[in-house]
Amino acid sequence: MTLSAAAFSASVASSPSSTPEQRIEAMQQLLYLNTNKLESLAIVTRQGFILAATSNAITDVRASEAFEITRANLSPTNSDIILPASGARAYVEFTAPLRDETGAVWAILYGRAYPEQLWSQTLRASVDGSRTIIVNNEGRFA
């Protein structure tokens, strides 16, 4: 039985025995296959140290609320829209535990996506027919 390209890449990326180079290549393949429309992926230790990342923009996830939630309850989660300071592009974070063959969590998969990429169809079909959206001070659609 052969694995699909996505399944093979996911198995390489999630394996604790893969090298950082193999993980990065596998995560790049997942992004190429447009898995969940994510912009970038990283594999992070439970302490928050980055083992491999597909983007230089991911430098420290320890302040990430999604990372902290996944670290605490060992289940997948996502953030609300994050509006960084200094006018940087807003994004949404996704995290999920990575388990080894024994079922133990050895790392956390961290993903980042841009709202306009995730929800382009929804935004095009907005109530007033325009391309304008309103985001409140908590980063939520108003």
Side-chain angles (χ1 to χ4, degrees), residues 63-101:
S64 162
E65 183 178 343
F67 171 75
E68 287 299 325
I69 291 170
T70 294
R71 193 170 96 147
N73 64 21
L74 301 179
S75 64
T77 194
N78 63 276
S79 70
D80 288 331
I81 297 173
I82 297 170
L83 302 171
S86 73
R89 204 169 167 190
Y91 57 90
V92 178
E93 298 174 320
F94 299 88
T95 54
L98 296 176
R99 299 180 186 278
D100 63 17
E101 305 81 35

Side-chain angles (χ1 to χ4, degrees), residues 26-102:
M27 289 187 299
Q28 289 287 10
Q29 180 67 22
L30 289 171
L31 292 174
Y32 175 76
L33 295 171
N34 204 20
T35 303
N36 296 325
K37 298 183 180 180
L38 297 175
E39 182 66 26
S40 54
L41 292 169
I43 295 178
V44 185
T45 66
R46 291 179 65 179
Q47 295 74 33
F49 300 109
I50 297 171
L51 298 174
T54 62
S55 169
N56 292 335
I58 301 173
T59 57
D60 188 358
V61 301
R62 290 175 288 180
S64 162
E65 183 178 343
F67 171 75
E68 287 299 325
I69 291 170
T70 294
R71 193 170 96 147
N73 64 21
L74 301 179
S75 64
T77 194
N78 63 276
S79 70
D80 288 331
I81 297 173
I82 297 170
L83 302 171
S86 73
R89 204 169 167 190
Y91 57 90
V92 178
E93 298 174 320
F94 299 88
T95 54
L98 296 176
R99 299 180 186 278
D100 63 17
E101 305 81 35
T102 68

Side-chain angles (χ1 to χ4, degrees), residues 2-14 18 22 25-26 29-30 33:
T2 60
L3 292 173
S4 69
F8 176 76
S9 293
S11 69
V12 170
S14 64
S18 296
Q22 290 170 324
E25 184 178 333
Q29 180 67 22
L30 289 171
L33 295 171

